[in-house]
Amino acid sequence: MIIKSLDQLSKITKKIGRKLDTSDCIFLYGQIGTGKTTFTRLLINFLQKNNNMKITEVLSPTFNLLYEYDLKNKKIKHYDLYRLKTKEDIDQLDIFTDDEKSIKIIEWPEQIKFKIKNKISIFFEHTNFTEERKLKFKGQGKWKNFKLNDL
């Protein structure tokens, strides 16, 4: 799927956001600058607005590794694993110890080998046009048959 605007990306985040529940995991793949953090910001802000909460700033957790966002009935954990190079480094974060209690959004998940029941992987790629991105989706569990055909 080719995304040509933030409005299109926002529609995708809303469709995903309506389906998200605790224990779900979103893996975001792609080079620097392809839109992983922008996707996350739009998604978290949509969930905040949908829960009648104040819209907060959503930053990339590249240096902190993790930012947490509390919704009324859910917690979102936004990880950026860019600087981590080994499985052992990732294991120390205990990302999956509270599997049933939070939605996890993980940028740069390449080192994760843990089997996740309900996961959607989104692959971001640059195109020949500066404002466009190519997105591919792959799901597991309840996300296996997820489609975006109606956008």
Side-chain angles (χ1 to χ4, degrees), residues 45 47-55 70-72:
N45 288 164
L47 293 170
Q48 290 170 327
K49 184 177 179 182
N50 217 31
N51 282 281
N52 297 315
M53 298 178 69
K54 181 183 174 193
I55 302 299
D70 287 313
L71 302 177
K72 290 181 180 172

Side-chain angles (χ1 to χ4, degrees), residues 3-16:
I3 302 301
K4 296 183 179 186
S5 69
L6 281 178
D7 185 53
Q8 266 186 298
L9 187 59
S10 180
K11 287 177 183 177
I12 291 170
T13 63
K14 289 175 184 174
K15 185 159 186 177
I16 290 171

Side-chain angles (χ1 to χ4, degrees), residues 1 6-7 18 25 47 71 73 90-91 113 127 134 139:
M1 165 179 273
L6 281 178
D7 185 53
R18 287 185 189 102
C25 193
L47 293 170
L71 302 177
N73 57 350
I90 292 168
D91 288 346
K113 306 301 179 209
T127 69
K134 181 178 179 182

Side-chain angles (χ1 to χ4, degrees), residues 106-145:
I106 304 172
E107 297 185 41
W108 305 95
E110 286 80 358
Q111 297 291 336
I112 295 177
K113 306 301 179 209
F114 188 83
K115 184 158 174 72
I116 300 158
K117 182 179 174 184
N118 294 311
K119 174 179 82 171
I120 183 167
S121 296
I122 306 172
F123 301 85
F124 294 76
E125 294 179 33
H126 290 287
T127 69
N128 292 334
F129 301 98
T130 306
E131 299 302 317
E132 284 186 0
R133 297 295 182 267
K134 181 178 179 182
L135 270 60
K136 291 190 283 184
F137 301 86
K138 181 179 178 186
Q140 287 178 203
K142 78 176 196 183
W143 295 96
K144 185 173 184 171
N145 297 313

Side-chain angles (χ1 to χ4, degrees), residues 57-93:
E57 189 171 7
V58 176
L59 303 172
S60 174
T62 301
F63 295 102
N64 294 351
L65 301 178
L66 168 66
Y67 285 127
E68 293 186 16
Y69 303 87
D70 287 313
L71 302 177
K72 290 181 180 172
N73 57 350
K74 300 174 188 167
K75 180 178 277 208
I76 298 173
K77 293 185 175 184
H78 177 203
Y79 293 90
D80 186 323
L81 307 181
Y82 179 73
R83 295 184 304 124
L84 303 182
K85 301 301 178 204
T86 67
K87 180 186 176 304
E88 290 75 24
D89 291 341
I90 292 168
D91 288 346
Q92 289 180 4
L93 291 175

